[in-house]
Amino acid sequence: SISAGGPFYRSVLYVIQHSDRGSLAVILNDPYAEVVDELVRLRYLRPKVAEDGTPMVKIGFRRGGPVEFGGAFFIHNIDGVAGAERLQRGRRLFLNRSVGLREGGQALLAACRQPVGWSSPRERSEEPSRRGCSAAAFTSVSSWGEHQLEGEVRRGAWGWIRPEHVSADDVLDMDADRLRGSWERLIRSPNLDVFEG
């Protein structure tokens, strides 16, 4: 956000859907650890580890926005998850919608255990290494009605960075301090566009 207030003050959004009917996005730079602690306590989340002790799937939990929707969104880099939508052409960045955190996490883990397959030679050359399975989990979202987000952009509340300048690492960063500091970094980016009317 450039000048948006409330839950969007200094927020970094990833827009999942945008059309004439409305927009759907998640806030990337608002991680929260207390949810992870509670999920582990309730045994909903038991991190699976590889032989060397590293997590098989790293999941970062984030506040996606002010709208609770009773399910979970996962943005991830894991090939072969049933029902996944590719978010960026030529890059391993996918979206899954799930009825809950447990079901979504289990689907990610099952796919992460499968051998990695590349869908095209171009994809292999653009992102040559798989650094493990990572996901950002959201149980709330940000949404706008018909043409509402465009109006806010025109009023200067939001700037934007085109998808080709956003990497999977930007979206799936697991370091809470880096996430919280991403607004300061991105507001100075040469790739940031702001509407000038």
Side-chain angles (χ1 to χ4, degrees):
S1 74
I2 304 294
S3 64
F8 299 114
Y9 177 72
R10 290 189 165 206
S11 62
V12 176
L13 294 177
Y14 189 89
V15 177
I16 295 170
Q17 294 175 338
H18 178 72
S19 71
D20 290 340
R21 296 185 317 199
S23 303
L24 182 67
V26 290
I27 298 174
L28 293 177
N29 63 328
D30 194 2
Y32 56 115
E34 62 271 15
V35 170
V36 179
D37 295 340
E38 181 67 5
L39 288 169
V40 170
R41 187 183 71 75
L42 294 173
R43 299 177 188 243
Y44 285 146
L45 182 66
R46 292 186 187 174
K48 304 285 187 193
V49 294
E51 289 178 15
D52 66 358
T54 59
M56 289 182 71
V57 179
K58 293 180 184 175
I59 299 178
F61 291 84
R62 323 248 178 100
R63 292 188 213 314
V67 181
E68 300 287 330
F69 65 96
F73 279 143
F74 292 87
I75 297 178
H76 59 87
N77 66 351
I78 306 167
D79 293 306
V81 180
E85 303 169 38
R86 187 179 292 271
L87 291 173
Q88 293 183 9
R89 189 176 8 179
R91 294 192 180 167
R92 289 180 41 252
L93 195 61
F94 306 95
L95 171 72
N96 273 83
R97 301 160 203 255
S98 175
V99 295
L101 290 171
R102 179 188 291 187
E103 295 83 358
Q106 289 171 344
L108 297 176
L109 179 60
C112 188
R113 289 179 171 158
Q114 301 301 315
V116 177
W118 295 98
S119 60
S120 72
R122 176 184 166 94
E123 190 174 312
R124 181 181 293 122
S125 66
E126 286 187 7
E127 293 195 12
S129 65
R130 180 170 182 164
R131 295 185 203 163
C133 299
S134 298
F138 306 88
T139 56
S140 59
V141 295
S142 304
S143 65
W144 292 262
E146 188 174 317
H147 301 292
Q148 184 181 1
L149 184 57
E150 292 98 327
E152 292 179 16
V153 167
R154 288 187 195 330
R155 288 191 298 278
W158 299 97
W160 67 94
I161 295 177
R162 298 184 187 282
E164 59 267 21
H165 299 298
V166 178
S167 74
D169 288 343
D170 292 330
V171 178
L172 298 175
D173 195 338
M174 296 292 159
D175 184 280
D177 291 332
R178 262 197 317 266
L179 282 171
R180 289 187 186 101
S182 61
W183 184 88
E184 287 84 3
R185 179 175 54 85
L186 294 172
I187 201 72
R188 294 187 299 270
S189 169
N191 298 313
L192 178 69
D193 290 320
V194 178
F195 182 78
E196 297 177 12

